[in-house]
Amino acid sequence: MSKLSNISGFPEWLPEEKLIEERIIDLIRNIYKSFGFTPIETPSVELKSTLSSKGVIDKEIYLLRRALKDSDEKDDEELALHFDLTVPFARYVAQHLSKLQFPFKRYQLQKVWRGERPQRGRFREFYQFDIDIVTRETLPLACDSEIISAIHAVFTALNIGKFCIRVNNRKVLLGLYSSLGLSSEVQKQVISIVDKLDKIGIDGIKKELTSLNLKSHQIDQIITWTELRTDFQNVSSELSKIAVDNDLFKEGVEELSLLLKLIPEDSIQFDLSLARGLDYYTGAIFEVILMEHPEYGTVSSGGRYDDLVNQFINQKVPGVGASIGITRIIDLILKKNLILIESASPSKVLVTVLNEPERPALVKLADKLRKLGIFCEVFPTAPKLGKQIEYADKKGIPYCLFAENDKIRIKDLRTKQETDYSTIEEWIQTLN
Amino acid sequence: MSKLSNISGFPEWLPEEKLIEERIIDLIRNIYKSFGFTPIETPSVELKSTLSSKGVIDKEIYLLRRALKDSDEKDDEELALHFDLTVPFARYVAQHLSKLQFPFKRYQLQKVWRGERPQRGRFREFYQFDIDIVTRETLPLACDSEIISAIHAVFTALNIGKFCIRVNNRKVLLGLYSSLGLSSEVQKQVISIVDKLDKIGIDGIKKELTSLNLKSHQIDQIITWTELRTDFQNVSSELSKIAVDNDLFKEGVEELSLLLKLIPEDSIQFDLSLARGLDYYTGAIFEVILMEHPEYGTVSSGGRYDDLVNQFINQKVPGVGASIGITRIIDLILKKNLILIESASPSKVLVTVLNEPERPALVKLADKLRKLGIFCEVFPTAPKLGKQIEYADKKGIPYCLFAENDKIRIKDLRTKQETDYSTIEEWIQTLN
């Protein structure tokens, strides 16, 4: 007998839970499609060198090896499971550049893997659902707004409570830090320190900035800036109060005010403390939090990256995108019962069987129901009807059908009401 | 610059190709649901010991290791990528037994991985789309027929040419081989030899049977049996001609004639040469071939397995199921152009932009279109209209929308016709 328990970090849902995940994935996919995003998929496996190209930490990767490598086998380059969908997408765009129409808009739903220590209790396998827009040469700001609008539409449709899209712009941050006389190397370090605000707090940030040898007036200024948060409508007026004469800063402020005109008005906040850890962001950055479940942290994030694709190809292909952490959201929905589990089956009708000789006719009847668009199943044996009704009830199948001579009797298990019909079509017409 | 080419055996489609794959997956999923199958998903990763439990050859498995394992880290049991969805499903059923309603019917679409030698040119990562029914104690034959009927419904709906579901029954085969006085160990070996008929031919089979030390009259008899193929309607009459007095054989024949009453009449053949290599089948076995593309071999296969789940738990949980090789079918469809590629975008409308100040109003118009169920996108810059129309044309977006004052002009790119409407709703009503 083998060990029968979940492997830590590799979540597995029960059927009624997976039905909810599938429904949510379909909902998000439909919204992405309604914005004109096209599906792509990349293999789960990339060359290790591809995944390392933006300097990812090696220990987050799972490497593959064949259990029994033939002794005469040539050495493959090392293969690894992808840890996100952005790096494989950048590789995909570079590789298929001549075959894509630009601007190219894709969505991509796939599992990603992180080689976390099993003891840490984090997901080591989970779904991400990404959208991105890339183009040749110059990517207009309208694309940043479209990404944010699509993410806004998703969280509105999910209907799992209030959410907030926190927005900032790397140019604003770098412009500000530059105005303090910090080198671009130090600016990057400051960004990754400020990014940890939620984890280490103001005091932690002060400590880490001090260890960078920043002067105390610089540290105080950085801390003051991280406290600026405002409704997105006031972004320009609030930022105009910061009297900093720096071109990059001004460019960032200009981008933010253009963005304001194109994105929804509710549930969006400007937050100067938002930094996002990843190196490759160059303009707008944002993340989504669920106001009623702050302990779940960031459930979606993204931003503008102007120089990611050209790590693979010597051409300018700027992009902007976002990723939604599906598994984390499903985990939240299931743990907090945010969506009512109604059934463990897609069947709408259970066709009951009184005795085996009737089965061939009932199988044909079920086929007819399917052709009329009604999902159904035929009970596989012919026990007492009570047992068959109990099965339907437990699986959340709403109707039982009893075929008697040339009549159809339908029992609605929710109202317990039974009604006779002379044909299947007659019953279907009563459904709305 | 990194290496930019597909890793052999890991297929990757272009966007317009992935749109076709997605459409086909949705079609199959809808059919599975119409039969009352419920989705489940298992992690891509299982313990190596779980995957080995039915005696799989180790070299087909990819093992995982963290790229940077901490020196103080406890040794995990070895993790591996699953190579099919049947073994993980058996583990899932055993693990969640008390939480499932039986009979339990699931569908499962996931990628599987095979650690093939890269030189062999086979898929090393591909999609399988499985259905299975399992229950406690006794699984009625109606379940075998339901699996075959669902697979039949899929290949009918796929509409990619004639197909044939070849059906046989392990009990018939084992009964016949037993009547020749072969031990059960030798019977298994004969099955795996007969399974290779398509690859090694009659002569190859003769040779391998000879090396098993079978007598020449036994070999001749086995060869004669492999030649029996018939329309499924004639299965009983053809098998009754074989005068073998063996209980297992008779049970198999009885099962086949019961099956006949419950499955569709067309595209099904009885084929006594069908053996299926896998050890775990105990009753009905079948496979699907595409008549016009025999070189693609088996595109779906399955059968009855009475003793797979009880490798993990000491209880009787018999099952029957089938697997469809999605990636192989998509590969065929794309290579042979069996489905017309119509577009590289789900958008139905491109909202054109005359000048930037209009954009905020056009973004709102696009939102309205989406709420009315029309997938659309707004061109991200404002170049000459010809360029925008060209973009829509290349992506296969059928309509361009021009908003002029309070009028809407729609250009149908297929007919080149332009029509004015006073409202969006007025145009939508003209669509069927």
Side-chain angles (χ1 to χ4, degrees):
Chain A
M1 295 294 143
S2 305
K3 202 171 140 191
L4 283 177
S5 59
N6 282 3
I7 311 170
S8 141
F10 292 86
E12 176 166 273
W13 313 130
L14 288 171
E16 58 273 25
E17 297 170 336
K18 176 63 192 169
L19 264 174
I20 287 182
E21 183 175 71
E22 199 172 271
R23 207 199 304 165
I24 281 176
I25 285 169
D26 283 347
L27 179 146
I28 297 174
R29 184 168 67 136
N30 215 43
I31 290 173
Y32 285 169
K33 283 170 96 163
S34 80
F35 278 82
F37 292 90
T38 304
I40 71 156
E41 187 161 316
T42 59
S44 307
V45 171
E46 300 277 346
L47 297 177
K48 188 189 168 199
S49 59
T50 300
L51 298 184
S52 311
S53 38
K54 64 158 197 173
V56 68
I57 312 140
D58 264 351
K59 70 171 166 184
E60 286 190 356
I61 300 182
Y62 276 119
L63 298 174
L64 299 190
R65 68 180 167 87
R66 293 180 53 218
L68 278 189
K69 209 168 166 177
D70 300 339
S71 56
D72 64 332
E73 189 175 330
K74 268 193 298 177
D75 255 1
D76 242 358
E77 204 189 330
E78 268 193 306
L79 302 179
L81 294 174
H82 57 206
F83 60 88
D84 77 354
L85 303 177
T86 305
V87 176
F89 173 60
R91 191 268 308 147
Y92 180 98
V93 170
Q95 184 174 330
H96 304 292
L97 199 70
S98 66
K99 291 176 187 150
L100 302 176
Q101 300 295 331
F102 293 95
F104 176 54
K105 306 166 68 171
R106 80 88 165 85
Y107 65 85
Q108 187 171 357
L109 168 75
Q110 284 183 253
K111 281 184 170 171
V112 302
W113 292 266
R114 305 270 166 97
E116 302 273 0
R117 293 177 61 142
Q119 294 85 344
R120 296 193 70 178
R122 292 194 187 165
F123 288 135
R124 297 196 273 169
E125 169 176 310
F126 53 96
Y127 270 118
Q128 289 192 333
F129 206 164
D130 283 24
I131 40 173
D132 285 83
I133 310 175
V134 292
T135 197
R136 314 291 296 264
E137 302 304 331
T138 309
L139 185 72
L141 206 71
C143 296
D144 305 56
S145 75
E146 196 168 47
I147 294 287
I148 294 176
S149 299
I151 293 296
H152 187 281
V154 165
F155 282 92
T156 303
L158 276 181
N159 197 22
I160 51 170
K162 282 187 191 165
F163 64 93
C164 178
I165 305 181
R166 302 161 70 196
V167 180
N168 196 359
N169 190 300
R170 274 282 171 92
K171 290 177 183 169
V172 169
L173 283 179
L174 295 173
L176 288 176
Y177 301 158
S178 169
S179 76
L180 294 175
L182 306 178
S183 73
S184 68
E185 195 44 52
V186 174
Q187 290 172 31
K188 275 188 198 167
Q189 291 172 296
V190 172
I191 280 186
S192 64
I193 292 171
V194 169
D195 184 52
K196 292 190 268 184
L197 178 62
D198 289 344
K199 281 179 204 141
I200 61 175
I202 291 285
D203 287 346
I205 287 184
K206 266 187 190 165
K207 214 168 134 189
E208 294 207 14
L209 290 176
T210 307
S211 71
L212 275 185
N213 288 326
L214 263 59
K215 292 173 194 140
S216 70
H217 81 270
Q218 292 172 323
I219 294 176
D220 290 345
Q221 188 56 266
I222 291 171
I223 297 288
T224 309
W225 286 331
T226 63
E227 281 158 359
L228 178 61
R229 263 138 253 221
T230 170
D231 280 349
F232 209 74
Q233 285 78 352
N234 306 319
V235 62
S236 303
S237 61
E238 287 295 322
L239 284 172
S240 68
K241 292 176 192 163
I242 302 179
V244 160
D245 190 22
N246 174 289
D247 286 347
L248 197 60
F249 172 74
K250 285 179 189 159
E251 204 180 313
V253 174
E254 176 65 19
E255 287 187 9
L256 284 166
S257 35
L258 273 171
L259 206 56
L260 173 64
K261 293 183 190 152
L262 297 171
I263 59 179
E265 288 176 15
D266 66 290
S267 312
I268 297 190
Q269 201 179 47
F270 174 73
D271 186 335
L272 202 44
S273 79
L274 179 72
R276 301 297 310 152
L278 289 167
D279 249 14
Y280 53 63
Y281 290 125
T282 51
I285 45 177
F286 59 87
E287 63 180 32
V288 183
I289 49 167
L290 299 170
M291 308 296 278
E292 291 148 29
H293 312 282
E295 74 280 14
Y296 270 75
T298 304
V299 290
S300 171
S301 65
R304 163 73 76 122
Y305 48 89
D306 278 344
D307 308 304
L308 191 58
V309 176
N310 61 15
Q311 294 197 7
F312 298 100
I313 194 171
N314 199 10
Q315 298 206 34
K316 219 169 146 41
V317 190
V320 58
S323 180
I324 296 182
I326 298 297
T327 304
R328 192 181 294 197
I329 290 172
I330 302 299
D331 186 56
L332 166 72
I333 287 172
L334 296 176
K335 285 214 177 107
K336 307 236 174 175
N337 294 309
L338 300 185
I339 292 183
L340 192 67
I341 293 180
E342 281 170 344
S343 80
S345 168
S347 286
K348 194 152 189 166
V349 180
L350 175 69
V351 178
T352 61
V353 182
L354 269 178
N355 52 63
E356 284 302 331
E358 280 187 353
R359 183 175 300 280
L362 295 172
V363 164
K364 288 210 167 65
L365 182 68
D367 268 342
K368 190 173 170 187
L369 276 167
R370 286 179 197 117
K371 290 207 171 74
L372 294 166
I374 307 287
F375 293 179
C376 63
E377 57 189 279
V378 184
F379 202 80
T381 52
K384 284 191 181 143
L385 286 181
K387 206 183 155 189
Q388 301 186 47
I389 294 170
E390 189 192 330
Y391 165 86
D393 210 30
K394 279 193 176 157
K395 281 214 172 166
I397 301 172
Y399 299 101
C400 282
L401 182 153
F402 314 92
E404 287 167 2
N405 304 319
D406 50 355
K407 267 189 334 198
I408 303 286
R409 174 167 294 172
I410 299 281
K411 177 168 186 160
D412 184 329
L413 296 189
R414 296 159 303 187
T415 63
K416 314 284 175 208
Q417 208 175 342
E418 296 189 16
T419 317
D420 288 349
Y421 300 94
S422 49
T423 64
I424 282 293
E425 288 85 352
E426 193 187 320
W427 169 58
I428 291 174
Q429 277 174 6
T430 68
L431 302 170
N432 43 4
Chain B
M1 296 295 144
S2 307
K3 202 172 140 191
L4 283 178
S5 59
N6 282 3
I7 310 171
S8 141
F10 293 85
E12 177 166 272
W13 312 130
L14 288 171
E16 57 274 25
E17 297 169 337
K18 176 64 191 166
L19 263 175
I20 287 181
E21 182 176 69
E22 199 171 272
R23 209 200 303 165
I24 281 176
I25 285 171
D26 283 348
L27 179 145
I28 298 174
R29 185 167 66 135
N30 217 43
I31 290 172
Y32 285 169
K33 283 170 95 162
S34 79
F35 278 82
F37 292 90
T38 305
I40 72 156
E41 187 162 316
T42 59
S44 308
V45 171
E46 301 277 347
L47 298 178
K48 188 189 168 199
S49 57
T50 301
L51 298 183
S52 309
S53 37
K54 65 155 198 176
V56 67
I57 311 139
D58 264 353
K59 71 173 168 183
E60 286 191 354
I61 300 182
Y62 276 119
L63 298 173
L64 300 189
R65 69 181 166 89
R66 296 179 52 218
L68 277 189
K69 205 169 169 176
D70 301 339
S71 54
D72 63 336
E73 190 175 328
K74 269 192 296 178
D75 254 2
D76 243 357
E77 204 191 330
E78 267 193 308
L79 301 179
L81 294 175
H82 58 207
F83 60 89
D84 77 355
L85 303 177
T86 306
V87 176
F89 173 59
R91 192 268 308 146
Y92 181 97
V93 170
Q95 184 173 332
H96 303 294
L97 198 71
S98 66
K99 290 176 187 149
L100 303 176
Q101 300 296 331
F102 292 95
F104 177 54
K105 307 166 68 171
R106 80 90 165 84
Y107 66 84
Q108 187 170 357
L109 168 76
Q110 284 182 253
K111 281 184 171 170
V112 301
W113 292 267
R114 304 270 165 97
E116 303 271 0
R117 293 176 63 142
Q119 295 85 343
R120 297 193 68 177
R122 292 196 187 164
F123 288 134
R124 296 196 274 169
E125 170 176 310
F126 54 97
Y127 270 118
Q128 289 191 332
F129 206 163
D130 283 23
I131 40 173
D132 284 84
I133 311 176
V134 291
T135 197
R136 314 292 295 266
E137 303 303 333
T138 309
L139 186 73
L141 206 73
C143 296
D144 305 58
S145 74
E146 196 168 48
I147 295 288
I148 294 176
S149 300
I151 293 296
H152 187 280
V154 165
F155 282 93
T156 304
L158 276 180
N159 197 20
I160 51 170
K162 282 189 193 162
F163 65 93
C164 179
I165 305 182
R166 303 163 69 197
V167 180
N168 196 359
N169 190 300
R170 274 281 172 92
K171 290 176 184 169
V172 168
L173 283 180
L174 295 174
L176 289 175
Y177 300 159
S178 169
S179 76
L180 293 176
L182 305 178
S183 73
S184 69
E185 196 44 51
V186 173
Q187 291 173 30
K188 276 189 198 165
Q189 290 172 297
V190 173
I191 280 186
S192 66
I193 292 170
V194 170
D195 185 53
K196 291 189 270 186
L197 178 63
D198 288 346
K199 283 179 204 142
I200 62 175
I202 291 285
D203 288 345
I205 287 184
K206 268 188 191 166
K207 212 166 136 190
E208 295 208 13
L209 290 176
T210 307
S211 71
L212 274 186
N213 288 324
L214 263 57
K215 292 175 192 136
S216 71
H217 80 271
Q218 292 172 323
I219 294 176
D220 289 346
Q221 187 57 268
I222 291 170
I223 298 286
T224 308
W225 286 333
T226 63
E227 282 160 0
L228 176 60
R229 263 139 252 219
T230 170
D231 280 349
F232 209 72
Q233 285 79 352
N234 305 320
V235 62
S236 304
S237 61
E238 286 295 323
L239 284 173
S240 68
K241 291 178 194 162
I242 301 181
V244 159
D245 189 23
N246 175 288
D247 286 347
L248 197 60
F249 172 73
K250 285 178 191 161
E251 204 180 313
V253 175
E254 176 64 21
E255 286 187 9
L256 285 166
S257 34
L258 273 171
L259 206 57
L260 173 63
K261 294 184 188 152
L262 297 171
I263 59 180
E265 288 176 16
D266 66 291
S267 312
I268 298 190
Q269 201 180 47
F270 174 73
D271 187 334
L272 202 43
S273 79
L274 179 71
R276 302 299 308 150
L278 289 167
D279 249 12
Y280 54 62
Y281 290 126
T282 52
I285 45 178
F286 59 89
E287 63 179 32
V288 183
I289 50 167
L290 299 169
M291 308 295 279
E292 291 149 30
H293 312 284
E295 74 281 13
Y296 269 76
T298 304
V299 289
S300 171
S301 65
R304 162 73 75 121
Y305 48 87
D306 278 344
D307 309 303
L308 191 57
V309 175
N310 61 15
Q311 295 198 7
F312 298 102
I313 194 172
N314 197 9
Q315 298 206 34
K316 219 169 145 42
V317 191
V320 57
S323 179
I324 298 182
I326 299 296
T327 304
R328 192 182 295 196
I329 290 172
I330 302 299
D331 186 57
L332 166 72
I333 287 173
L334 296 176
K335 287 215 176 104
K336 307 240 171 169
N337 293 311
L338 300 186
I339 293 183
L340 193 66
I341 292 179
E342 283 171 340
S343 80
S345 166
S347 287
K348 192 151 189 164
V349 180
L350 175 70
V351 177
T352 61
V353 182
L354 269 176
N355 53 61
E356 285 300 331
E358 279 186 357
R359 184 174 299 280
L362 294 172
V363 165
K364 287 209 168 66
L365 181 68
D367 269 341
K368 192 174 169 186
L369 276 166
R370 286 181 197 116
K371 289 206 173 75
L372 294 166
I374 306 287
F375 293 179
C376 63
E377 58 190 277
V378 184
F379 202 80
T381 53
K384 283 188 184 147
L385 286 182
K387 206 183 155 188
Q388 301 185 47
I389 293 169
E390 188 191 330
Y391 165 85
D393 211 29
K394 279 193 176 160
K395 282 213 173 170
I397 300 172
Y399 299 101
C400 282
L401 182 153
F402 313 92
E404 286 168 1
N405 304 318
D406 50 358
K407 264 189 335 196
I408 303 287
R409 172 167 296 173
I410 299 282
K411 177 168 186 161
D412 183 330
L413 295 189
R414 296 159 303 186
T415 63
K416 314 283 176 209
Q417 207 176 343
E418 296 189 17
T419 316
D420 288 348
Y421 300 94
S422 49
T423 64
I424 281 292
E425 288 85 351
E426 191 187 322
W427 169 59
I428 291 175
Q429 277 173 7
T430 70
L431 302 171
N432 42 4

